[in-house]
Each structure stands twice: as structure tokens, then as C-alpha cells.
Amino acid sequence: SDFMAVAAGWDHSAAMRTDGSLVSWGSDLHSVVGDTPGGMGHVAVASGGLHSLAITSAGSIVSWGRDTYNEVSGTPTGNNFVAIAGGSYHSLALRSDGSLAAWGGDNYGQVSDTPTGNDFTAIAAGHYFNLALRSDGSLVAWGQEAYGQVSDCPDGNDFVDIATGFYFGLAIRTDGSIVGWGDDRWGQITDIPAEGDVTDIAGGGYHAIALVPGLSLADFDQDGDVDLYVANYRTTTLQDMPGTRFTLTRDGDRIVI
């Protein structure tokens, strides 16, 4: 009951408690679990493919796990970071001045093509690409272009939140509707729910979840039976997901998967 943030990598998970301490579990390949930093006072946590990262109370970033592509050793210095995101082989961070920093694998320009400027307010990292939200409500995407996740990034200035999956992007508009683009092989885009009051979204590898006030959670492959639906590989009922545990609350504030 004292956890306030969670993050998931390929085969591991990380969580932050209310006291700012961190805990990780799952596969310990590259010591992504065993090297989890001790101490309290962390304010944010994120996970990439086989690495994780956190922001300390001082505003600096600490990374651990795989370092094959400088996911750890390339971590930027400084004490002005306010948000972090982990891609499969790279990481992305937002500074308090609205600028971006990226490091790690750069095989598709997901690091070197990071846009300049000081008007960014939110970030998300996919498999080999990134997505950022500007203060004017517009979006920018860069990196791999395998499924249109960059070139099909929508225009407009009415976006308030963003998320990414492996090869697709998601955004919430000011009216609470969701727009998606990129990989749609398992209905991640075409099965986006029609609810117009979505307040939060999250992307997995090939699925997505949205939060609707007054319900619990709605996903992008609906079956109409419950408020949570899972779109991963066209799964349409909870019973079709052996070994998966869901904890839902009617206030729409908590889910455990």
C-alpha cells in the first residue's frame, strides 16, 4: 500500500515507494534487479528493455542494468531532470528548463535526432523511437520509421498526454479522446476505445490501456464485459490471459498486472 510508481521492462519490473526507495523484481539479466539503488528520496522511476533509471530528490539521474549500448554509462549529469523514459536500448529525459536529453543505442537516430528547444512538457520512449509533447500542445516524434510511428505522428495543438508502445504512439486530446498511429498488427490503433473522457494512457509492447474516470480501465480491444480490456495479440477477455493477475478499484486509481 506504500507504492506510488511502477515501471516495466522486458522481463523485469521496478517500483518506487512513498519514501522514495526502490524495489525491482523479475529477470536479473545484466543485474537489472540486483543493482537497484538503495536509499530513499527518489522521485521517479522508469524501465527500458534490460535497464532501469530513476531521478533522485536532487534532480539527478541514476541508471542500472545493461550497458551494452551505454544505457548506464551514457547517463547525463546534472541536477535539473524532472521526467524520464526508457526505450528498449536507450533512455530519454526531460529537464526542468523544458529541454531533452537522450542516450544509449542510436541505430535509428533515437538519440542523435533528439530535437532541441526548451518547450517540452512530457516524453515517452518506444522500441527504437521517441515521442514528446510541446507546451503548445503539439507532438514531435523521431527515430525508427518501421510502421509510420514517426511520419504519421498527428498534427494539431490540442494534445495533453502521450504514451508509446514498441512501434506505435498514443496521445490524449483536450476533449479526452485518444488518437493512435503506427503499428496496428494487433488492433492497437483500430481498436482504440471511443470514450471521450480518458485521463491517462499507457502503452505496452503490442497493447495499450486507458483510464476513464468513474470506471476502472478500458483498453483497445473491447469485449464489453468489464471495464478493463486487454488488446495484446487480440485477447478480448481476461480469462484468455493465463498467469495474469489484475487488481482493479472503482476509483480508477490502481491496477496491478
Side-chain angles (χ1 to χ4, degrees):
S1 61
D2 63 339
F3 292 101
M4 60 181 298
V6 292
W10 286 351
D11 300 301
H12 74 283
S13 298
M16 183 177 68
R17 293 189 171 97
T18 54
D19 63 4
S21 61
L22 303 173
V23 59
S24 301
W25 64 99
S27 170
D28 196 29
L29 191 63
H30 297 280
S31 298
V32 70
V33 173
D35 285 348
T36 302
M40 298 179 289
H42 299 93
V43 298
V45 65
S47 291
L50 291 170
H51 68 283
S52 290
L53 58 159
I55 301 178
T56 70
S57 57
S60 61
I61 298 175
V62 57
S63 303
W64 65 99
R66 181 181 56 192
D67 195 35
T68 307
Y69 303 95
N70 299 319
E71 301 100 312
V72 175
S73 59
T75 302
T77 58
N79 296 302
N80 59 343
F81 294 98
V82 296
I84 48 177
S88 291
Y89 304 94
H90 72 285
S91 294
L92 182 66
L94 174 67
R95 296 186 177 95
S96 57
D97 66 0
S99 63
L100 303 177
W103 66 100
D106 192 34
N107 47 331
Y108 291 97
Q110 61 266 43
V111 173
S112 57
D113 288 344
T114 299
T116 58
N118 296 81
D119 58 343
F120 297 98
T121 61
I123 55 174
H127 188 48
Y128 292 119
F129 83 106
N130 297 311
L131 178 64
L133 175 67
R134 296 186 187 273
S135 57
D136 66 358
S138 63
L139 305 175
V140 58
W142 67 100
Q144 187 189 39
E145 177 57 5
Y147 296 94
Q149 62 265 46
V150 173
S151 61
D152 290 342
C153 185
D155 297 325
N157 296 85
D158 60 342
F159 300 102
V160 296
D161 198 7
I162 55 174
T164 55
F166 265 9
Y167 305 106
F168 65 95
L170 302 166
I172 301 177
R173 297 187 186 273
T174 52
D175 64 2
S177 63
I178 302 170
V179 59
W181 65 97
D183 181 21
D184 192 36
R185 290 174 293 170
W186 290 280
Q188 307 98 297
I189 308 302
T190 54
D191 290 339
I192 288 177
E195 282 82 2
D197 54 354
V198 172
T199 60
D200 201 3
I201 48 176
Y206 302 99
H207 70 283
I209 294 177
L211 183 63
V212 180
L215 301 176
S216 289
L217 290 160
D219 92 343
F220 304 169
D221 197 1
Q222 305 175 66
D223 65 5
D225 294 333
V226 290
D227 295 325
L228 174 71
Y229 312 101
V230 178
N232 195 358
Y233 295 97
R234 295 198 178 277
T235 300
T236 56
T237 65
L238 300 184
Q239 291 76 18
D240 288 339
M241 298 188 66
T244 302
R245 177 172 60 91
F246 297 88
T247 300
L248 304 176
T249 59
R250 278 289 170 181
D251 60 7
D253 286 333
R254 181 169 180 258
I255 178 173
V256 178
I257 299 180

